[in-house]
Amino acid sequence: MNERDALRAIAADLPAAGDDAAVVDGTVITTDMLHERTDFPPGTTRYTAGWRAVGASLSDVAAMGAAARAAVAVYADEVFDREELTRFVAGAVDVCEAVDAEYVGGDLDEHVEFTTATTAIGDVTESGPVTRDGARPGDALCVTGEWGRSAAALRLFKKDSDEAVERANELFRFTPRVADGLALAPSATAMMDSSDGLARSCHQLAEASGVGIEIERDAVPVHPAVEEVAEDTAERFELAAHFGEDFELVCAVPEAEVDEVEEACPSGFTRIGTVVEERDEGDQPVLADGEPLPDRGFTHGDE
């Protein structure tokens, strides 16, 4: 059973679950766990790991349209190295400061591999939290930033070059889109972060909202680093749409408000498609250039 199947299995017992973060009395709260084997390629510095781990949880806060407030983390390893621990905390502090939040501590533990579990909280604004289930036919399907950043980083980590590894660490240190989420909150009818990849996020949003989605491949904004590692156009789209771990925002916005939102989003805002009526059972819910877009991306537990 992979992560998505596990979530479906417990959905009946946890009816409030299913969005990027839980909402409790105006506070959003979210937690994530990352492992060295699956999330931090060889060459990832502890500073980058601290930044990326805490950033992943802050990205969930952003996806709810909330203002980030604070984060904590569990740091677990076979042995504790003072310099590595210090660098991890420095990365966690810096990513929090990048979104006007505060890193306030955590816990230490021993484990068979380097593992970190992070929790972030944020404050819901007057616009209220933005969930995944409100997209409506006719809405524009939009994204923030550029895609394929993490895929390019993974390719660079595999190169036997100090310069490539340094560049890969830089790419891994993404800025959580908290400011963009706040700008989107008054307008977006549905929103989520893209930790599982663009294609899978479109499928998840379509399922949650009971709609179909149509996107244009050429409209997807691709990170320049992808051009350094992709061999052709097909691989370029593969890395941008299916790899995952880019932590951008995917959202539905009323057609009439797209231009206004575009001006307000500091990290870039691109319309890539349209929300349409839900298709018949058995039909593919997400199309790219009129062809089914596979529900393929990053999922814990996939083999």
Side-chain angles (χ1 to χ4, degrees):
M1 180 183 292
N2 63 32
E3 180 184 15
R4 291 183 72 192
D5 291 335
L7 288 171
R8 291 190 180 106
I10 63 175
D13 296 324
L14 296 172
D19 282 296
D20 290 85
V23 183
V24 183
D25 295 332
T27 297
V28 300
I29 182 169
T30 182
T31 190
D32 296 276
M33 181 179 291
L34 284 75
H35 304 276
E36 184 169 31
R37 178 174 55 86
T38 56
D39 298 293
F40 302 119
T44 305
T45 66
R46 282 295 191 265
Y47 177 82
T48 295
W51 179 295
R52 189 169 179 83
V54 173
S57 291
L58 291 169
S59 181
D60 287 335
V61 172
M64 301 298 290
R69 190 198 308 173
V72 296
V74 174
Y75 180 103
D77 209 344
E78 295 179 88
V79 295
F80 295 126
D81 180 284
R82 180 171 183 173
E83 184 175 351
E84 289 185 345
L85 178 58
T86 298
R87 289 177 177 175
F88 177 91
V89 171
V93 168
D94 286 351
V95 72
C96 283
E97 290 182 350
V99 295
D100 295 325
E102 185 178 6
Y103 183 70
V104 293
D107 189 26
L108 300 176
D109 200 359
E110 294 182 359
H111 194 50
V112 294
E113 66 171 330
F114 170 55
T115 297
T116 178
T118 61
T119 297
I121 62 173
D123 298 316
V124 174
T125 68
E126 293 181 358
S127 301
V130 186
T131 59
R132 301 179 180 186
D133 60 359
R136 302 166 300 193
D139 286 345
L141 196 283
C142 305
V143 297
T144 61
E146 296 171 318
W147 295 72
R149 179 188 186 111
S150 290
L154 188 61
R155 294 283 180 91
L156 291 169
F157 271 123
K158 293 178 179 179
K159 292 189 175 183
D160 187 19
S161 160
D162 290 343
E163 182 179 356
V165 170
E166 182 178 355
R167 171 67 169 147
N169 273 281
E170 176 188 325
L171 290 170
F172 249 30
R173 296 192 295 269
F174 67 94
T175 300
R177 302 309 191 195
V178 173
D180 301 84
L182 290 170
L184 281 158
S187 299
T189 57
M191 186 158 62
M192 62 181 294
D193 99 326
S194 66
S195 54
D196 296 334
L198 175 59
R200 179 147 292 167
S201 295
C202 287
H203 277 269
Q204 291 170 330
L205 192 147
E207 180 181 349
S209 293
V211 296
I213 289 175
E214 297 178 357
I215 72 168
E216 299 176 16
R217 289 172 178 260
D218 289 345
V220 176
V222 179
H223 195 281
V226 174
E227 309 295 348
E228 304 172 25
V229 299
E231 294 184 359
D232 52 33
T233 301
E235 187 176 33
R236 179 178 180 270
F237 184 78
E238 174 72 22
L239 297 180
H242 294 288
F243 182 84
E245 301 286 290
D246 282 326
F247 300 100
E248 294 291 350
L249 300 180
V250 181
C251 61
V253 175
E255 181 79 38
E257 299 181 45
V258 170
D259 290 343
E260 181 179 351
V261 173
E262 182 178 5
E263 292 181 5
C265 284
S267 303
F269 182 78
T270 306
R271 178 179 183 165
I272 64 168
T274 303
V275 178
V276 298
E277 294 285 351
E278 185 175 21
R279 295 187 172 85
D280 294 335
E281 185 175 354
D283 291 341
Q284 288 291 331
V286 182
L287 303 180
D289 294 342
E291 298 293 328
L293 181 66
D295 182 4
R296 181 161 43 80
F298 181 83
T299 297
H300 288 286
D302 276 347
E303 295 295 342

